[in-house]
Amino acid sequence: MTITARPLWTTRVSRPDEPDAVLLLREYMTEMVVRYHCRPALPGEVDEALAEMPSDDLTYPSGVLLLAHHGTDLAGCAGLRWHSGWAELKRVFVRPAHRGAGGGAALLTAVEQQAGAAGAAAIRLDTRADLVEARALYARHGYVEIPAYSRGPYAEHWFEKRLGGAVDGRQGMR
């Protein structure tokens, strides 16, 4: 019997302006635009969305951006923005070819480790109602719905996960 090993998921910190990050963030935003409007993106629409919701603060000292690889393939991303005592999860994305292979779980594990190491007591996020797969992923991984903490135009559901062993405050957040 031959056993074939599945590719491993790895993550690394990236600047949002690195070419791989730019590519993934554009793919993420394209999917968000297409799903929201239920049609192909119009010319310039993704650029407008990227300008409206920039990711340039997903770097030290205001946040962090992680890129995920499935084996050697660039496969996804997730970011954190630091707040006082907690972190906000942003830009969770797994490329379609890699969905169903554990990438969402790998990204959540990595951001939770980053947040805990930075001293965050919890991770919060907001998401849209149409992103049912994302909401199911968060619920499977211990995120619970909470009252609204933000007022973004696309925020319709809010989640939080308390991190064990984290210290309150912002010391060490980077």
Side-chain angles (χ1 to χ4, degrees):
M1 171 168 62
T2 302
I3 298 175
T4 304
R6 292 180 62 177
L8 295 177
W9 285 95
T10 57
T11 60
R12 69 171 180 87
V13 173
S14 173
R15 293 189 46 84
D17 58 358
E18 287 181 19
D20 285 347
V22 170
L23 177 66
L24 285 172
L25 291 168
R26 176 167 284 284
E27 288 179 20
Y28 161 84
M29 194 60 71
T30 299
E31 183 167 325
M32 294 302 99
V33 167
V34 167
R35 287 187 66 163
Y36 183 75
H37 294 293
C38 299
R39 59 160 170 74
L42 300 175
E45 200 166 30
V46 173
D47 290 329
E48 289 172 18
L50 286 165
E52 177 187 336
M53 295 176 283
S55 299
D56 54 346
D57 62 340
L58 299 178
T59 189
Y60 181 80
S62 56
V64 65
L65 179 66
L66 299 177
L67 301 186
H69 285 80
H70 190 217
T72 58
D73 295 341
L74 180 64
C77 62
L80 291 170
R81 287 191 180 124
W82 304 130
H83 295 270
S84 182
W86 58 281
E88 185 175 25
L89 183 60
K90 305 303 290 181
R91 310 294 186 264
V92 178
F93 176 72
V94 176
R95 286 176 144 173
H98 297 283
R99 292 181 186 165
L107 282 163
L108 290 179
T109 297
V111 295
E112 289 166 12
Q113 289 171 348
Q114 287 278 327
I123 295 177
R124 293 181 182 165
L125 65 99
D126 62 43
T127 191
R128 299 184 335 216
D130 65 312
L131 300 177
V132 294
E133 305 92 342
R135 291 183 9 239
L137 172 73
Y138 302 136
R140 277 194 314 273
H141 290 276
Y143 289 76
V144 296
E145 287 212 49
I146 60 171
Y149 70 87
S150 63
R151 296 187 197 199
Y154 308 106
E156 298 168 317
H157 293 268
W158 298 263
F159 288 84
E160 179 180 76
K161 182 173 183 178
R162 304 295 296 172
L163 301 175
V167 293
D168 286 327
R170 201 183 149 121
Q171 65 268 25
M173 285 197 175
R174 54 189 164 108

